[in-house]
Amino acid sequence: MKLAVYIVLGMISYLVHASDLKSGYYLKWDTDHTERKIRPVYPISTEKIGLYNTYYIEVEDQKPQSVCYFTSSRPSNKSDFGSHCIKFAYEKNSIYRTFVNIDGERISNNEGVYAVKYILDGQEYPTKKQNFGESNNLMEDKSGSAEYYFKRDELGRRYSEVRKNANGDVVLEHNGFYEARFIFDANDYAAYRRGFDRDGNIMEGKYGYATAHFWFDENGNFEKEEFRNSSGKLVLGPSNRFARIEYKNIDSFGNWHEVNLYDASGELLKDSPAILLARYHRNARRESISYYDSKMNPSENAQGINKYLYIYDKVGHLIERKGYSLKDELVE
């Protein structure tokens, strides 16, 4: 079993490869960018699961049977997919994912989708993904997509994706891309997402960028993202605020503690918060985020907020996020 090991803040984390999939508890259940197999990271021992929000993955013969979410060891519906569990079912040329709540009832996920079908088409990895509603009808998710079509490289990694709605019409990405293409780093994480038009030409899209470049650490955590036009020039991304974002001081739970925002000249932002600092509780839940300018003076965002505080219930579910101004006044 091949593992990449590194130590942060006195805790050891392991990069779990898709071929090493085993039953167990993890902080994150899937960091796969290639649409091949789920890839969990940050395994947690059974003695410590009560301290964290965890996903239990049940595996048989290297195939996931279910992924279930727990908060402080208690079953919870507040997973990142919007239910307690994902259930997997396998057929000769397809894989189904369905969703159940803590009472074992079938429900839709947080995209409003009742079931997801991955079609293998005689290949090892899926060539198409389809969303279905409760009546077994093709159903569009929040992006307006009902079907995703994949092309794969010699390693089976998804290098091209085209989306279609329930009527079979191509759904353009938020930047107006007809087709997105990818390349991957040594850990199989996406190194860029580049946009192409219907004729196969690189396009810049309505936000002015053609390529979003990515950098990830060994566990699939964002370290940096930047946006460039078709000529390779750094440009503002979809937020229209920054051209590059860097996540710093990532701890052994995958949480960033600092974010830096840069303009199209590669300099820290001058006219809005440029630096974000985050604090976390010992159980890895976020405690606060504070804003600063490029000289580390306390600053406010466009909503007049200098600091967010995160409020949790006794189980560990996030109840609300409260924003405060530089005068320490609650911003409604």
Side-chain angles (χ1 to χ4, degrees):
M1 181 174 177
K2 183 179 179 182
L3 294 173
V5 182
Y6 70 105
I7 300 177
V8 186
L9 300 181
M11 183 176 175
I12 299 179
S13 295
Y14 297 94
L15 171 61
V16 180
H17 295 275
S19 60
D20 298 326
L21 190 60
K22 290 185 176 181
S23 297
Y25 290 91
Y26 300 83
L27 292 184
K28 298 182 180 181
W29 71 277
D30 190 15
T31 61
D32 177 50
H33 298 174
T34 68
E35 291 280 354
R36 289 183 296 193
K37 298 179 180 179
I38 71 169
R39 186 180 187 182
V41 291
Y42 299 115
I44 298 295
S45 67
T46 54
E47 294 81 12
K48 295 184 177 181
I49 59 173
L51 301 174
Y52 309 110
N53 298 341
T54 59
Y55 293 88
Y56 181 77
I57 301 178
E58 182 183 359
V59 179
E60 292 182 9
D61 298 325
Q62 281 295 297
K63 292 182 178 180
Q65 306 301 306
S66 63
V67 175
C68 297
Y69 182 65
F70 297 86
T71 300
S72 301
S73 298
R74 301 183 185 183
S76 171
N77 292 324
K78 297 184 180 294
S79 65
D80 62 4
F81 44 81
S83 68
H84 173 45
C85 294
I86 298 175
K87 299 288 188 178
F88 297 78
Y90 298 89
E91 296 182 356
K92 181 178 180 181
N93 277 307
S94 60
I95 303 169
Y96 286 88
R97 295 186 185 183
T98 55
F99 310 91
V100 299
N101 61 20
I102 58 176
D103 296 318
E105 302 166 330
R106 284 280 304 276
I107 60 173
S108 297
N109 65 12
N110 53 8
E111 289 286 327
V113 174
Y114 194 68
V116 179
K117 180 181 181 181
Y118 289 83
I119 299 173
L120 302 177
D121 196 25
Q123 305 298 313
E124 182 178 2
Y125 302 112
T127 58
K128 183 166 63 173
K129 180 175 78 170
Q130 294 179 312
N131 298 327
F132 291 94
E134 195 166 351
S135 300
N136 203 34
N137 55 304
L138 273 178
M139 183 175 187
E140 296 168 1
D141 57 27
K142 291 182 179 179
S143 74
S145 306
E147 297 182 300
Y148 294 73
Y149 291 79
F150 308 132
K151 293 179 182 178
R152 298 188 176 276
D153 62 18
E154 67 279 1
L155 298 178
R157 302 176 300 189
R158 171 197 59 159
Y159 74 84
S160 168
E161 176 184 287
V162 174
R163 308 175 183 183
K164 293 186 178 182
N165 62 23
N167 295 323
D169 301 318
V170 171
V171 176
L172 303 180
E173 291 198 13
H174 66 280
N175 194 35
F177 296 158
Y178 175 88
E179 176 189 5
R181 298 182 190 175
F182 312 83
I183 62 170
F184 299 92
D185 63 19
N187 289 316
D188 282 347
Y189 296 125
Y192 76 50
R193 184 184 189 96
R194 177 167 291 165
F196 290 79
D197 64 20
R198 191 179 298 267
D199 298 318
N201 301 310
I202 295 175
M203 62 178 293
E204 292 180 347
K206 63 181 181 180
Y207 293 111
Y209 71 91
T211 307
H213 293 266
F214 311 118
W215 288 260
F216 296 91
D217 69 10
E218 295 93 335
N219 280 307
N221 300 304
F222 254 127
E223 291 187 316
K224 183 168 69 171
E225 180 179 12
E226 67 180 29
F227 304 90
R228 294 186 178 271
N229 65 15
S230 57
S231 300
K233 180 182 178 182
L234 196 64
V235 295
L236 295 181
S239 70
N240 203 37
R241 288 188 56 240
F242 59 85
R244 178 187 298 136
I245 182 169
E246 295 185 3
Y247 298 84
K248 297 176 176 291
N249 302 328
I250 297 173
D251 63 26
S252 56
F253 301 101
N255 295 317
W256 56 263
H257 288 246
E258 180 178 344
V259 170
N260 292 351
L261 303 175
Y262 298 85
D263 60 25
S265 66
E267 301 291 332
L268 283 169
L269 297 185
K270 303 285 194 306
D271 56 354
S272 62
I275 299 172
L276 289 67
L277 297 183
R279 298 183 64 180
Y280 297 85
H281 299 288
R282 291 188 65 183
N283 57 18
R285 298 183 187 114
R286 183 174 293 165
E287 178 182 340
S288 66
I289 290 180
S290 301
Y291 295 90
Y292 299 86
D293 65 19
S294 59
K295 297 181 180 179
M296 283 303 297
N297 298 308
S299 179
E300 292 179 341
N301 66 12
Q303 290 72 44
I305 293 171
N306 163 251
K307 177 173 63 177
Y308 282 108
L309 295 181
Y310 293 76
I311 313 299
Y312 302 86
D313 64 19
K314 62 181 181 180
V315 178
H317 293 135
L318 179 66
I319 301 174
E320 62 179 325
R321 184 181 70 165
K322 293 184 177 181
Y324 294 86
S325 69
L326 281 169
K327 295 181 180 180
D328 206 30
E329 297 174 340
L330 181 65
V331 179
E332 300 292 345

mmCIF file of all heavy atoms in Angstrom, residues 282-302:
data_model
loop_
_atom_site.group_PDB
_atom_site.id
_atom_site.type_symbol
_atom_site.label_atom_id
_atom_site.label_comp_id
_atom_site.label_asym_id
_atom_site.label_seq_id
_atom_site.Cartn_x
_atom_site.Cartn_y
_atom_site.Cartn_z
ATOM 1 N N ARG A 282 -10.825 23.392 18.494
ATOM 2 C CA ARG A 282 -9.957 22.208 18.524
ATOM 3 C C ARG A 282 -10.558 21.041 17.750
ATOM 4 O O ARG A 282 -9.840 20.146 17.309
ATOM 5 C CB ARG A 282 -9.700 21.783 19.975
ATOM 6 C CG ARG A 282 -8.832 22.759 20.760
ATOM 7 C CD ARG A 282 -8.450 22.204 22.100
ATOM 8 N NE ARG A 282 -7.599 21.018 21.970
ATOM 9 C CZ ARG A 282 -7.183 20.305 23.007
ATOM 10 N NH1 ARG A 282 -7.559 20.630 24.234
ATOM 11 N NH2 ARG A 282 -6.405 19.251 22.819
ATOM 12 N N ASN A 283 -11.881 21.058 17.570
ATOM 13 C CA ASN A 283 -12.534 19.988 16.813
ATOM 14 C C ASN A 283 -12.579 20.287 15.325
ATOM 15 O O ASN A 283 -13.313 19.638 14.585
ATOM 16 C CB ASN A 283 -13.943 19.733 17.354
ATOM 17 C CG ASN A 283 -14.807 20.996 17.333
ATOM 18 O OD1 ASN A 283 -14.505 21.960 16.646
ATOM 19 N ND2 ASN A 283 -15.870 20.973 18.095
ATOM 20 N N ALA A 284 -11.807 21.262 14.867
ATOM 21 C CA ALA A 284 -11.632 21.614 13.456
ATOM 22 C C ALA A 284 -12.800 22.409 12.880
ATOM 23 O O ALA A 284 -12.820 22.704 11.688
ATOM 24 C CB ALA A 284 -11.374 20.376 12.590
ATOM 25 N N ARG A 285 -13.794 22.785 13.711
ATOM 26 C CA ARG A 285 -14.887 23.612 13.211
ATOM 27 C C ARG A 285 -14.470 25.078 13.238
ATOM 28 O O ARG A 285 -13.836 25.549 14.180
ATOM 29 C CB ARG A 285 -16.159 23.390 14.043
ATOM 30 C CG ARG A 285 -16.650 21.954 13.961
ATOM 31 C CD ARG A 285 -17.947 21.736 14.720
ATOM 32 N NE ARG A 285 -18.248 20.298 14.713
ATOM 33 C CZ ARG A 285 -18.259 19.532 15.778
ATOM 34 N NH1 ARG A 285 -17.979 20.049 16.969
ATOM 35 N NH2 ARG A 285 -18.541 18.246 15.681
ATOM 36 N N ARG A 286 -14.862 25.792 12.198
ATOM 37 C CA ARG A 286 -14.432 27.186 12.068
ATOM 38 C C ARG A 286 -15.047 28.045 13.171
ATOM 39 O O ARG A 286 -16.238 27.989 13.450
ATOM 40 C CB ARG A 286 -14.830 27.726 10.701
ATOM 41 C CG ARG A 286 -14.357 29.155 10.454
ATOM 42 C CD ARG A 286 -14.647 29.592 9.032
ATOM 43 N NE ARG A 286 -13.829 28.813 8.108
ATOM 44 C CZ ARG A 286 -14.066 28.750 6.800
ATOM 45 N NH1 ARG A 286 -15.106 29.376 6.274
ATOM 46 N NH2 ARG A 286 -13.258 28.051 6.027
ATOM 47 N N GLU A 287 -14.211 28.885 13.782
ATOM 48 C CA GLU A 287 -14.655 29.794 14.830
ATOM 49 C C GLU A 287 -14.934 31.185 14.277
ATOM 50 O O GLU A 287 -15.948 31.806 14.605
ATOM 51 C CB GLU A 287 -13.590 29.871 15.921
ATOM 52 C CG GLU A 287 -13.903 30.827 17.041
ATOM 53 C CD GLU A 287 -12.786 30.884 18.071
ATOM 54 O OE1 GLU A 287 -11.980 29.940 18.130
ATOM 55 O OE2 GLU A 287 -12.732 31.876 18.819
ATOM 56 N N SER A 288 -14.034 31.695 13.405
ATOM 57 C CA SER A 288 -14.213 33.056 12.894
ATOM 58 C C SER A 288 -13.397 33.273 11.631
ATOM 59 O O SER A 288 -12.456 32.524 11.347
ATOM 60 C CB SER A 288 -13.777 34.080 13.943
ATOM 61 O OG SER A 288 -12.375 33.989 14.185
ATOM 62 N N ILE A 289 -13.778 34.310 10.875
ATOM 63 C CA ILE A 289 -12.994 34.829 9.757
ATOM 64 C C ILE A 289 -12.925 36.339 9.920
ATOM 65 O O ILE A 289 -13.947 36.993 10.157
ATOM 66 C CB ILE A 289 -13.612 34.484 8.394
ATOM 67 C CG1 ILE A 289 -13.486 32.996 8.097
ATOM 68 C CG2 ILE A 289 -12.946 35.277 7.272
ATOM 69 C CD1 ILE A 289 -14.084 32.589 6.769
ATOM 70 N N SER A 290 -11.720 36.913 9.788
ATOM 71 C CA SER A 290 -11.526 38.355 9.907
ATOM 72 C C SER A 290 -10.864 38.900 8.642
ATOM 73 O O SER A 290 -10.071 38.205 8.002
ATOM 74 C CB SER A 290 -10.651 38.687 11.120
ATOM 75 O OG SER A 290 -11.254 38.209 12.311
ATOM 76 N N TYR A 291 -11.191 40.165 8.294
ATOM 77 C CA TYR A 291 -10.698 40.792 7.074
ATOM 78 C C TYR A 291 -9.661 41.865 7.378
ATOM 79 O O TYR A 291 -9.805 42.633 8.341
ATOM 80 C CB TYR A 291 -11.863 41.442 6.310
ATOM 81 C CG TYR A 291 -12.882 40.461 5.790
ATOM 82 C CD1 TYR A 291 -13.983 40.090 6.559
ATOM 83 C CD2 TYR A 291 -12.759 39.901 4.523
ATOM 84 C CE1 TYR A 291 -14.932 39.200 6.082
ATOM 85 C CE2 TYR A 291 -13.700 39.004 4.032
ATOM 86 C CZ TYR A 291 -14.772 38.661 4.819
ATOM 87 O OH TYR A 291 -15.701 37.778 4.338
ATOM 88 N N TYR A 292 -8.629 41.923 6.480
ATOM 89 C CA TYR A 292 -7.562 42.911 6.621
ATOM 90 C C TYR A 292 -7.192 43.451 5.241
ATOM 91 O O TYR A 292 -7.381 42.773 4.221
ATOM 92 C CB TYR A 292 -6.321 42.285 7.273
ATOM 93 C CG TYR A 292 -6.578 41.757 8.659
ATOM 94 C CD1 TYR A 292 -7.071 40.461 8.842
ATOM 95 C CD2 TYR A 292 -6.342 42.533 9.784
ATOM 96 C CE1 TYR A 292 -7.329 39.963 10.107
ATOM 97 C CE2 TYR A 292 -6.585 42.046 11.061
ATOM 98 C CZ TYR A 292 -7.079 40.759 11.213
ATOM 99 O OH TYR A 292 -7.341 40.279 12.472
ATOM 100 N N ASP A 293 -6.626 44.673 5.223
ATOM 101 C CA ASP A 293 -6.128 45.198 3.952
ATOM 102 C C ASP A 293 -4.721 44.672 3.699
ATOM 103 O O ASP A 293 -4.202 43.851 4.466
ATOM 104 C CB ASP A 293 -6.191 46.728 3.929
ATOM 105 C CG ASP A 293 -5.278 47.407 4.951
ATOM 106 O OD1 ASP A 293 -4.331 46.759 5.452
ATOM 107 O OD2 ASP A 293 -5.498 48.599 5.239
ATOM 108 N N SER A 294 -4.098 45.151 2.636
ATOM 109 C CA SER A 294 -2.791 44.619 2.233
ATOM 110 C C SER A 294 -1.686 44.918 3.246
ATOM 111 O O SER A 294 -0.631 44.284 3.212
ATOM 112 C CB SER A 294 -2.400 45.174 0.861
ATOM 113 O OG SER A 294 -2.334 46.584 0.900
ATOM 114 N N LYS A 295 -1.930 45.879 4.151
ATOM 115 C CA LYS A 295 -0.940 46.228 5.176
ATOM 116 C C LYS A 295 -1.312 45.657 6.535
ATOM 117 O O LYS A 295 -0.765 46.069 7.548
ATOM 118 C CB LYS A 295 -0.785 47.740 5.248
ATOM 119 C CG LYS A 295 -0.249 48.353 3.947
ATOM 120 C CD LYS A 295 -0.076 49.851 4.067
ATOM 121 C CE LYS A 295 0.468 50.432 2.763
ATOM 122 N NZ LYS A 295 0.638 51.919 2.836
ATOM 123 N N MET A 296 -2.267 44.738 6.540
ATOM 124 C CA MET A 296 -2.727 44.048 7.745
ATOM 125 C C MET A 296 -3.460 44.957 8.726
ATOM 126 O O MET A 296 -3.506 44.696 9.939
ATOM 127 C CB MET A 296 -1.575 43.328 8.451
ATOM 128 C CG MET A 296 -1.163 42.032 7.783
ATOM 129 S SD MET A 296 -2.530 40.827 7.612
ATOM 130 C CE MET A 296 -2.941 40.487 9.305
ATOM 131 N N ASN A 297 -4.061 46.022 8.188
ATOM 132 C CA ASN A 297 -4.963 46.824 9.000
ATOM 133 C C ASN A 297 -6.360 46.207 8.918
ATOM 134 O O ASN A 297 -6.790 45.796 7.840
ATOM 135 C CB ASN A 297 -5.017 48.262 8.492
ATOM 136 C CG ASN A 297 -3.678 48.955 8.558
ATOM 137 O OD1 ASN A 297 -3.029 48.960 9.601
ATOM 138 N ND2 ASN A 297 -3.245 49.525 7.444
ATOM 139 N N PRO A 298 -7.085 46.141 10.021
ATOM 140 C CA PRO A 298 -8.442 45.598 9.965
ATOM 141 C C PRO A 298 -9.278 46.324 8.917
ATOM 142 O O PRO A 298 -9.198 47.546 8.778
ATOM 143 C CB PRO A 298 -8.978 45.837 11.378
ATOM 144 C CG PRO A 298 -7.754 45.858 12.239
ATOM 145 C CD PRO A 298 -6.690 46.514 11.401
ATOM 146 N N SER A 299 -10.070 45.562 8.176
ATOM 147 C CA SER A 299 -10.813 46.110 7.047
ATOM 148 C C SER A 299 -12.229 45.541 7.048
ATOM 149 O O SER A 299 -12.545 44.631 7.818
ATOM 150 C CB SER A 299 -10.086 45.775 5.739
ATOM 151 O OG SER A 299 -10.777 46.262 4.614
ATOM 152 N N GLU A 300 -13.082 46.104 6.179
ATOM 153 C CA GLU A 300 -14.447 45.615 6.026
ATOM 154 C C GLU A 300 -14.698 45.186 4.585
ATOM 155 O O GLU A 300 -14.152 45.778 3.653
ATOM 156 C CB GLU A 300 -15.462 46.701 6.414
ATOM 157 C CG GLU A 300 -15.467 47.047 7.890
ATOM 158 C CD GLU A 300 -16.457 48.140 8.234
ATOM 159 O OE1 GLU A 300 -16.872 48.879 7.310
ATOM 160 O OE2 GLU A 300 -16.821 48.261 9.426
ATOM 161 N N ASN A 301 -15.534 44.174 4.407
ATOM 162 C CA ASN A 301 -15.883 43.758 3.058
ATOM 163 C C ASN A 301 -16.995 44.651 2.504
ATOM 164 O O ASN A 301 -17.393 45.635 3.149
ATOM 165 C CB ASN A 301 -16.283 42.274 3.021
ATOM 166 C CG ASN A 301 -17.567 41.980 3.793
ATOM 167 O OD1 ASN A 301 -18.307 42.874 4.187
ATOM 168 N ND2 ASN A 301 -17.834 40.704 4.010
ATOM 169 N N ALA A 302 -17.513 44.313 1.332
ATOM 170 C CA ALA A 302 -18.512 45.167 0.679
ATOM 171 C C ALA A 302 -19.800 45.270 1.490
ATOM 172 O O ALA A 302 -20.569 46.228 1.308
ATOM 173 C CB ALA A 302 -18.811 44.623 -0.718
#
